[in-house]
Amino acid sequence: KAAKLEEIKSLLKAKRMEREAEEKVDHVEREKQRRSMGQQMIKTKEEMERQAMSRQAQQRKKEKEAFKRERARIRAELEKDKAERRAHKGKLQSKLGIEGYNPDAIQYDVDGEEEAQSPAPTKKKPKASVAKIDEYISKVAAYRAGGDGGKCLKVLLLYIKNTVENPGEDKFRHIKMDSKTFKAKIKPFLGAKSLLLAVGFAPNETGTVLDLDEHADLEVLSQAKEKLEAALAKY
């Protein structure tokens, strides 16, 4: 009887050892599968990220090309308008279609001085007015091509914000009109320079710098700053 019990114990032990060995093998296989799946998931994620970056790069390229085409189109329209103005003594008679540049809707300050819609050669240009600040901002915000209006609003806000928040800083009271920023982001856009003139800036004797008048109204500057912030948020 004792021998029979020992035999049973031996069989049970052998079975247990066999089961443990099988479980160990299964565990190793499962671990291999887990690691393999993890590596595959990492590769899949990396591939998806790579494809997303590629799509973004292609989109940026398309947007950049579209922006260049739009800028080239506008420049061509402006050159055509300039030629027509010269031919008609400053008057712009033609109107292009919906897809083109329409003088009645938006105009660019091609000569560096803001003009009325169809000014007569002998008609004096009206002075900038505080009462027209909203109008000037609306004119700038109307430029949508390439986000030009938004860029102009940002620069105008920077100019005026600096004077409001740092009234004692002399460097913020002068704007160089021959600077790259002014010539590219302020000068071409109707309403931009008029806004600066309306809040208290004026050309110096050489006509190369806009100086803020020492008696400029800080309240007007503050209101212009708030209106520019609101316009930029809506843009």
Side-chain angles (χ1 to χ4, degrees):
K1 189 175 180 180
K4 189 67 173 176
L5 288 172
E6 285 297 326
E7 182 180 356
I8 292 172
K9 287 180 180 180
S10 296
L11 288 171
L12 291 173
K13 183 178 180 180
K15 286 287 186 182
R16 185 173 65 253
M17 292 178 65
E18 182 180 352
R19 186 175 64 253
E20 288 175 352
E22 290 177 353
E23 289 176 351
K24 186 175 181 180
V25 171
D26 289 343
H27 176 73
V28 171
E29 288 298 321
R30 285 195 299 272
E31 183 64 18
K32 286 181 179 180
Q33 291 178 3
R34 187 187 68 79
R35 291 183 180 181
S36 177
M37 290 177 64
Q39 291 174 353
Q40 186 61 38
M41 288 177 66
I42 291 173
K43 289 181 180 178
T44 301
K45 184 179 179 181
E46 289 176 347
E47 178 62 19
M48 290 175 66
E49 290 175 349
R50 186 191 66 78
Q51 292 178 1
M53 290 176 65
S54 177
R55 287 194 298 270
Q56 291 173 1
Q58 291 176 1
Q59 182 63 26
R60 286 194 297 269
K61 184 178 179 181
K62 289 181 180 179
E63 290 174 353
K64 188 174 182 181
E65 290 174 349
F67 174 74
K68 286 182 178 179
R69 288 194 298 270
E70 179 65 9
R71 294 288 286 185
R73 183 187 68 79
I74 290 174
R75 289 193 182 100
E77 300 289 357
L78 293 175
E79 288 301 321
K80 184 176 180 180
D81 291 350
K82 286 173 68 177
E84 187 170 342
R85 287 178 191 276
R86 287 193 294 267
H88 295 88
K89 297 181 180 181
K91 293 183 179 180
L92 186 60
Q93 297 179 346
S94 66
K95 299 178 182 179
L96 303 180
I98 295 175
E99 297 300 324
Y101 168 81
N102 187 335
D104 283 344
I106 295 178
Q107 293 194 54
Y108 284 76
D109 187 5
V110 295
D111 295 319
E113 294 183 1
E114 296 178 4
E115 302 175 346
Q117 290 294 333
S118 296
T122 59
K123 192 174 181 179
K124 190 175 180 181
K125 185 174 61 174
K127 291 183 178 180
S129 169
V130 174
K132 292 185 177 182
I133 285 179
D134 290 332
E135 178 184 331
Y136 301 144
I137 293 175
S138 296
K139 283 185 177 182
V140 174
Y143 293 93
R144 313 300 295 186
D148 285 346
K151 295 171 187 176
C152 183
L153 289 172
K154 285 182 181 179
V155 177
L156 288 170
L157 176 59
L158 179 63
Y159 285 154
I160 294 176
K161 183 178 180 180
N162 282 337
T163 61
V164 172
E165 297 182 354
N166 306 279
E169 288 284 345
D170 185 67
K171 65 180 180 179
F172 295 134
R173 303 178 69 86
H174 310 284
I175 300 173
K176 294 181 179 179
M177 290 191 286
D178 59 354
S179 69
K180 183 178 179 181
T181 297
F182 189 92
K183 289 193 292 187
K185 298 182 180 180
I186 299 295
K187 182 179 178 181
F189 307 107
L190 297 177
K193 185 178 177 182
S194 289
L195 175 63
L196 294 173
L197 298 176
V199 298
F201 283 93
N204 65 355
E205 294 179 356
T206 62
T208 58
V209 177
L210 288 177
D211 295 327
L212 184 64
D213 189 281
E214 59 181 9
H215 300 301
D217 191 333
L218 185 59
E219 181 62 26
V220 171
L221 287 163
S222 298
Q223 290 178 6
K225 169 180 167 290
E226 293 174 359
K227 290 178 179 180
L228 283 167
E229 289 173 338
L232 191 57
K234 290 180 181 178
Y235 188 80

